[in-house]
Amino acid sequence: MNRLLISMVLATLSTNAFCQSSRQWTLQECIDYAIANNISLKKKSLTMQSATEDVKQAKAELLPSLNASTTQTLGFRPWPNETTSMVSNGTVQRSVDKWSYNGTYGINANWTVWNGNKNHNTLKLNKLTAEQAVSDSAITAKSIEEQITQLYVQILYTAEAIKVNKYSYETSLANEKRGEEMVKVGKMSKADLAQLSAQTATDKYGIVETESDLAKYKSQLKQLLEITGETPFNVAVPASSDSEATASIPGLTAVYDNAITNRPEIVYSQLGIKQSNLNIAIAKAGWMPTVSLTGSAMTSSSSMNDNSWGNQIKTNFDMGIGATISMPIYDQRQTKTAVNKARIQREDAILDLEEKKKQIWNTVESYWIDANNNQQKFIAAKASVESAEASYTLMSEQFKMGLKNIVELMTSKSNLLKAQQDMLQSKYMTILSKEMLNLYNK
């Protein structure tokens, strides 16, 4: 039974490990996983919770405050005068005890009825701060989404670049073997063969270097996703990346209009302007009178009193209610300074919004220009690759027949490799720019 249980556990662990290692992450899966697990976003969530608590506190401060208090005092009079009488709360106390015990009990209430609407505006300000915390979290989420998109496309590009480098290495290796045969029959010098061997080594180095870059980009993406350890990580390669690169590009104006309507950076700045308006109103409240109501209920007892504790509590009970009006006359310019600084803050918030709009326009325009330019480059590069492949195939056949020399062969191969690299670069630069435009277009 134990062996069966152990076998089942090991089989389950092996299945889980296989599923994890064979998983192919899509771009959307990476984004969703990061949004749920990224530590920076979790910290932003805590900030949002803190802002919500400030809103609740501001609401509570609109209500009266109420507190209860009691004081218990133990007194000692070592040489009492027996002929001395004490009057406490209208009661003559004639006790001559050296020790005495006194207690007071009270309930106090205070309510700010009017303070120039400062308390209500503070509540509105805290609500805006809570909304800003949500926008700030959304800004971080967008930034992470953009970083993931850039790394994801970079991984796709690098993975395909490895295939190109491997193909180049295989052709160089085939040329080197052909060169060895030609050296044996005296149709090629050893110097020319050395050039072919050097090209093979260069291509092999290119594979190692590109694979190293791929591992680095995967590691950076795993860090954004908060995936630690040596867990295997692979991305899903879209089947139609060529068609994605040649698909239509969204209009510049449409993307910009959607961006300035929905981007969290814009919402954050707009909330900042609303906050500055409330700060002006709060500062102006310093010129307004403050009206508050107070109420209290007090009683006391003493061991020096011959009455019982209950009778003393009843006899000494006292209640009171009052109103206070405070009118500012001269506050050493503090209110005026606060109002002026709040107005300056509003101007700064307005400029910040304009700056954000300008930054978004520049960013969107840059991606749009890159998408269009690289799309045209990709279309031209595809034709160039086809031409270079045909030329290299013909050159290889002529080289094998001894009709072309090694310089012509290597030049043709270099042209082919450059054309392939240009095509890959333009294709994935187009895809990246389009993906970024889509993020701004949401």
Side-chain angles (χ1 to χ4, degrees):
M1 184 66 182
N2 291 336
R3 290 181 179 178
L4 178 60
L5 180 61
I6 293 173
S7 299
M8 292 174 63
V9 172
L10 291 176
T12 302
L13 293 175
S14 299
T15 302
N16 291 337
F18 174 77
C19 292
Q20 182 67 24
S21 61
S22 60
R23 178 178 181 180
Q24 302 288 318
W25 292 74
T26 65
L27 175 58
Q28 191 58 50
E29 286 175 342
C30 290
I31 292 172
D32 293 341
Y33 189 90
I35 297 300
N37 296 277
N38 188 269
I39 293 177
S40 296
L41 285 176
K42 289 182 178 180
K43 288 184 176 181
K44 295 295 182 181
S45 177
L46 296 178
T47 303
M48 291 163 56
Q49 295 177 35
S50 178
T52 301
E53 291 299 319
D54 290 337
V55 172
K56 294 178 180 179
Q57 177 63 43
K59 287 181 179 179
E61 290 179 357
L62 297 177
L63 303 175
S65 63
L66 182 66
N67 62 79
S69 63
T70 180
T71 302
Q72 306 298 317
T73 305
L74 181 64
F76 177 66
R77 181 177 292 177
W79 302 284
N81 187 346
E82 297 185 8
T83 62
T84 301
S85 298
M86 298 177 58
V87 179
S88 176
N89 292 322
T91 302
V92 178
Q93 301 176 353
R94 301 182 183 279
S95 176
V96 293
D97 292 341
K98 293 182 178 182
W99 291 94
S100 63
Y101 180 80
N102 300 281
T104 59
Y105 312 90
I107 296 177
N108 297 281
N110 184 67
W111 182 28
T112 301
V113 180
W114 169 259
N115 61 353
N117 260 345
K118 182 177 181 180
N119 48 4
H120 291 277
N121 286 329
T122 299
L123 173 58
K124 294 178 183 178
L125 182 63
N126 287 344
K127 287 181 178 179
L128 289 177
T129 302
E131 292 180 32
Q132 264 199 330
V134 175
S135 296
D136 188 40
S137 178
I139 291 172
T140 303
K142 282 290 185 182
S143 176
I144 292 173
E145 189 174 0
E146 290 171 7
Q147 293 178 60
I148 289 174
T149 301
Q150 291 171 346
L151 283 172
Y152 193 92
V153 175
Q154 186 67 52
I155 289 172
L156 294 180
Y157 165 72
T158 308
E160 196 162 347
I162 291 175
K163 295 179 182 179
V164 172
N165 289 340
K166 285 183 177 180
Y167 171 75
S168 179
Y169 170 72
E170 290 171 358
T171 55
S172 294
L173 192 61
N175 289 335
E176 183 181 4
K177 290 181 179 180
R178 176 59 182 166
E180 291 174 352
E181 295 174 358
M182 294 176 70
V183 168
K184 290 179 181 179
V185 298
K187 291 185 177 181
M188 179 184 288
S189 66
K190 291 184 178 181
D192 289 341
L193 177 61
Q195 292 185 46
L196 292 176
S197 299
Q199 183 62 50
T200 303
T202 299
D203 290 344
K204 188 173 183 180
Y205 177 82
I207 295 173
V208 174
E209 187 177 35
T210 312
E211 287 177 341
S212 175
D213 291 339
L214 179 62
K216 178 182 66 178
Y217 296 135
K218 286 184 177 180
S219 175
Q220 293 175 1
L221 185 54
K222 286 174 64 178
Q223 290 175 21
L224 284 176
L225 270 58
E226 304 296 347
I227 298 177
T228 57
E230 298 181 359
T231 305
F233 183 84
N234 294 294
V235 302
V237 179
S240 57
S241 57
D242 284 8
S243 60
E244 185 179 355
T246 54
S248 61
I249 299 169
L252 173 60
T253 304
V255 174
Y256 174 72
D257 290 341
N258 288 332
I260 62 172
T261 303
N262 303 315
R263 288 289 293 190
E265 301 96 316
I266 299 298
V267 176
Y268 187 92
S269 296
Q270 290 172 339
L271 291 172
I273 295 175
K274 293 181 180 180
Q275 281 183 320
S276 61
N277 289 331
L278 283 173
N279 282 327
I280 293 174
I282 291 172
K284 287 182 177 180
W287 286 319
M288 304 292 182
T290 299
V291 180
S292 59
L293 296 178
T294 59
S296 64
M298 301 290 294
T299 188
S300 63
S301 65
S302 174
S303 63
M304 300 285 288
N305 195 315
D306 293 335
N307 292 330
S308 65
W309 185 87
N311 287 333
Q312 291 184 62
I313 293 297
K314 180 179 180 181
T315 303
N316 297 336
F317 184 77
D318 186 20
M319 292 182 63
I321 187 171
T324 302
I325 300 177
S326 176
M327 176 67 76
I329 298 176
Y330 178 67
D331 64 352
Q332 299 173 320
R333 205 182 182 275
Q334 293 181 10
T335 300
K336 186 175 182 179
T337 299
V339 171
N340 290 340
K341 292 184 72 172
R343 286 172 175 166
I344 294 172
Q345 183 187 26
R346 180 177 60 184
E347 294 300 319
D348 184 68
I350 293 172
L351 291 175
D352 182 70
L353 175 60
E354 294 301 318
E355 185 178 26
K356 288 289 192 304
K357 289 181 178 179
K358 181 181 177 181
Q359 290 174 351
I360 289 177
W361 171 263
N362 291 338
T363 302
V364 170
E365 185 181 37
S366 176
Y367 285 132
W368 187 83
I369 292 174
D370 287 345
N372 281 277
N373 289 343
N374 283 294
Q375 188 178 69
Q376 296 303 316
K377 288 181 180 179
F378 173 64
I379 295 172
K382 285 188 70 176
S384 179
V385 167
E386 293 175 0
S387 175
E389 285 177 345
S391 175
Y392 179 70
T393 300
L394 178 61
M395 186 67 65
S396 296
E397 294 298 327
Q398 292 177 336
F399 175 74
K400 292 177 183 178
M401 293 184 294
L403 299 177
K404 297 293 182 180
N405 59 38
I406 189 173
V407 175
E408 293 172 314
L409 177 68
M410 294 183 67
T411 300
S412 180
K413 183 176 181 299
S414 297
N415 292 337
L416 173 59
L417 181 60
K418 183 179 184 305
Q420 290 173 331
Q421 291 174 341
D422 289 344
M423 184 184 70
L424 278 183
Q425 186 176 18
S426 58
K427 178 174 76 172
Y428 283 103
M429 286 297 292
T430 303
I431 293 174
L432 174 60
S433 297
K434 290 180 64 179
E435 288 291 341
M436 299 303 290
L437 285 173
N438 290 335
L439 291 179
Y440 278 82
N441 201 27
K442 289 182 179 179

